[in-house]
């Protein structure tokens, strides 16, 4: 069964066909709907993933009712997807709407998970009082998670005294993350004694020992491959090449060093030299994403085509998300060309993910509490 009844399908699809020969504005909501239609023609094994990604993207851009419609098309992990949608709505700033939505499930456990995520979103946005109010609606096992979000926000905001008080409200062990954040902030300030005292309260030994490690001088690695990667991360491509010379480094490491240095040809050669076909397929997809993010759409498309490797069992699982990234970056510069390319993909999985990328690039983020539901505008030629 399709997303729309037959009568409604005609309303949306016929105008689309009528305008294929002309230039018209296609709304972001219509693009999300086109992605859904494409997903319905994809292999049944991947449809749940397609609809889950569409639902989360729609929610992110304020189309909450549409997101719930996409959720109905999923046959795997629908409860978790519902919680994700509620969490996204709260993260958008619509806490009231998220709480109303959270009242929907009949399952009490699912309601608690929704409220937990809402409280986390409130804490992360700095609404500590609101998070504490939501916390009172939850059983103890969920309250610990909310307190951790509150304490982490307080520590990262520099309110170390309040963060320590929050940690004091928590059960032993649950407070480790908050205590680490506080101790690490003291270490960053140079107060090693105070950082050490707080670290002693952390129950996880490795976590306690790592306090302040990020603020200590970074030791220079001895392995030439690690040195090459370090130089590449610092933007020193020529120095990275010197360390690669004669070294037997992992093919993927070499490929990404070349990509960062702007040498796509060398990156492709290195990635294709990997002995494991799955590594080649996954690596080509990741390189396609990197190149798309840089705006090199031509190279990104070439690498996406290279994801097909004989012997790689999961190649479509690598390729389709890469096409989404390519479409999103391409549409941000040339929406018309990106849309034409996305709709030309013959495979339903690829077409759905590419259309999703175009929709994401076209959509305007909601103004915190904006809900943009309603039928897509009628097709019109310009």
């Amino acid at each position: 069964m399709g997303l729309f009844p037959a009568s409604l399908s005609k309303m949306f699809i016929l105008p689309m066909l009528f305008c294929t020969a002309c230039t018209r504005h296609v709304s972001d909501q219509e693009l999300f709907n086109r992605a859904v239609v494409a997903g319905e023609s994809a292999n049944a094994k991947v449809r749940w993933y397609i609809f889950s990604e569409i639902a989360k993207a729609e929610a992110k851009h304020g189309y909450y009712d549409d997101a719930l419609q996409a959720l109905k098309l999923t046959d795997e992990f629908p409860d978790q997807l519902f919680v994700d949608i509620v969490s996204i709505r709260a993260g958008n700033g619509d806490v009231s709407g998220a709480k109303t939505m959270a009242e929907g499930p009949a399952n009490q456990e699912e309601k608690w998970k929704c409220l937990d995520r809402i409280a986390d979103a409130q804490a992360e946005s700095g609404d500590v009082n609101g998070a504490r109010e939501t916390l009172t609606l939850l059983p103890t096992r969920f309250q610990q998670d909310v307190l951790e979000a509150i304490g982490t926000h307080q520590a990262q905001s520099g309110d170390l005294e309040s963060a320590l008080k929050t940690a004091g409200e928590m059960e032993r062990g649950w407070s480790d993350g908050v205590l680490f954040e506080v101790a690490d902030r003291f270490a960053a300030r140079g107060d090693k004694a105070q950082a050490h005292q707080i670290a002693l309260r952390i129950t996880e030994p490795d976590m306690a020992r790592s306090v302040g490690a990020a603020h200590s001088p970074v030791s220079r690695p001895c392995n030439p491959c690690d040195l090459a990667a370090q130089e590449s991360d610092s933007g020193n491509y020529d120095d990275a090449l010197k360390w690669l010379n004669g070294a037997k480094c992992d093919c993927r490491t070499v490929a990404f060093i070349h990509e960062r240095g702007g040498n796509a040809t060398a990156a492709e050669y290195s990635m294709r030299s990997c002995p494991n076909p799955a590594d080649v397929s996954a690596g080509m997809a990741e390189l396609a994403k990197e190149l798309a993010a840089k705006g090199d759409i031509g190279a990104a498309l070439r690498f996406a085509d290279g994801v097909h490797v004989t012997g790689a069992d999961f190649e479509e699982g690598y390729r389709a998300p890469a096409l989404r990234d390519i479409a999103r970056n391409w549409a941000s510069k040339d929406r018309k060309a990106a849309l034409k390319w996305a709709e030309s993909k013959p495979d339903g999985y690829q077409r759905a993910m590419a259309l999703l990328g175009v929709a994401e690039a076209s959509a305007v983020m909601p103004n915190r509490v904006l809900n943009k539901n309603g039928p897509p505008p009628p097709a019109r030629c310009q």
Side-chain angles (χ1 to χ4, degrees):
M1 178 180 291
L3 176 62
F4 307 111
S7 58
L8 288 180
S9 294
K10 292 178 181 178
M11 290 173 60
F12 295 138
I13 295 173
L14 289 179
M16 288 161 53
L17 295 175
F18 178 75
C19 275
T20 53
C22 65
T23 301
R24 71 177 183 87
H25 176 75
V26 182
S27 73
D28 56 346
Q29 189 177 21
E30 184 179 334
L31 287 170
F32 282 125
N33 288 336
R34 289 190 189 185
V36 170
V37 173
E40 290 182 312
S41 67
N43 186 297
K45 293 182 179 179
V46 297
R47 286 178 200 160
W48 72 270
Y49 172 75
I50 294 171
F51 298 136
S52 295
E53 291 301 297
I54 293 172
K56 287 184 283 188
E58 287 177 321
K60 183 178 179 181
H61 291 92
Y63 296 118
Y64 305 117
D65 290 345
D66 288 354
L68 293 178
Q69 289 300 314
L71 178 149
K72 293 179 181 179
L73 298 174
T74 62
D75 55 7
E76 293 191 41
F77 316 113
D79 293 350
Q80 181 57 50
L81 178 57
F82 180 79
V83 174
D84 288 341
I85 292 171
V86 171
S87 176
I88 292 169
R89 187 167 190 169
N92 284 347
D94 187 4
V95 172
S96 176
K99 285 186 174 181
T100 299
M101 188 181 286
E103 295 173 1
N107 184 302
Q108 184 61 56
E109 184 75 12
E110 191 174 350
K111 290 182 180 180
W112 283 335
K113 288 180 180 179
C114 289
L115 289 171
D116 177 34
R117 297 283 287 275
I118 291 170
D120 285 349
Q122 289 175 293
E124 290 166 7
S125 70
D127 183 8
V128 172
N129 291 334
R132 286 188 175 277
E133 181 181 340
T134 305
L135 176 148
T136 62
L137 305 174
L138 292 165
T140 303
R141 57 194 171 92
F142 286 104
Q143 290 181 358
Q144 297 300 306
D145 177 66
V146 177
L147 287 171
E148 181 177 20
I150 291 171
T152 299
H153 170 78
Q154 290 168 329
Q156 293 178 347
S157 300
D159 189 358
L160 303 186
E161 182 179 349
S162 294
L164 284 173
K165 288 181 180 178
T166 300
E169 300 176 50
M170 301 174 69
E171 296 177 5
R172 181 173 169 79
W174 278 95
S175 61
D176 281 0
V178 177
L179 292 171
F180 175 85
E181 290 289 345
V182 175
D184 202 56
R185 290 304 184 279
F186 276 113
R189 295 177 180 180
D191 192 343
K192 295 182 179 180
Q194 183 71 359
H196 176 68
Q197 287 301 314
I198 296 171
L200 292 175
R201 296 166 56 184
I202 298 175
T203 62
E204 212 289 312
D206 289 339
M207 181 183 290
R209 283 192 293 269
S210 65
V211 167
H215 313 292
S216 302
V218 179
S219 59
R220 191 167 176 80
C222 299
N223 185 295
C225 301
D226 292 338
L227 284 165
Q230 187 180 78
E231 294 291 355
S232 175
D233 290 341
S234 301
N236 303 321
Y237 181 54
D238 291 339
D239 291 335
L241 290 181
K242 292 176 183 177
W243 287 111
L244 287 179
N245 187 26
K248 295 182 179 180
C249 302
D250 181 83
C251 52
R252 292 166 296 182
T253 299
V254 177
F256 279 100
I257 287 174
H258 284 307
E259 187 279 324
R260 291 186 191 119
N263 192 339
T265 301
E268 181 175 3
Y269 177 83
S270 298
M271 192 61 74
R272 289 191 181 280
S273 71
C274 293
N276 186 337
D279 287 341
V280 178
S281 184
M284 293 293 280
E286 288 303 313
L287 287 170
K289 292 180 182 180
E290 294 285 337
L291 289 162
K294 291 180 177 179
D296 191 347
I297 302 302
L301 290 171
R302 188 175 76 250
F303 275 76
D305 288 340
V307 171
H308 177 71
V309 179
T310 302
D313 297 329
F314 194 60
E315 59 186 45
E316 278 309 311
Y318 302 132
R319 192 205 313 260
L323 296 181
R324 177 182 180 179
D325 278 27
I326 292 171
R328 186 191 306 113
N329 286 281
W330 192 354
S332 67
K333 296 182 177 180
D334 189 345
R335 185 176 185 270
K336 182 179 178 180
L339 178 56
K340 181 179 179 180
W341 165 80
E343 293 190 317
S344 72
K345 307 306 292 182
D347 176 78
Y349 187 14
Q350 294 183 20
R351 189 166 64 257
M353 296 304 283
L355 284 167
L356 176 56
V358 178
E360 289 174 312
S362 305
V364 178
M365 290 297 292
N367 185 17
R368 301 298 289 167
V369 296
L370 180 63
N371 183 351
K372 303 187 295 183
N373 284 293
R380 54 186 174 84
C381 296
Q382 295 178 337

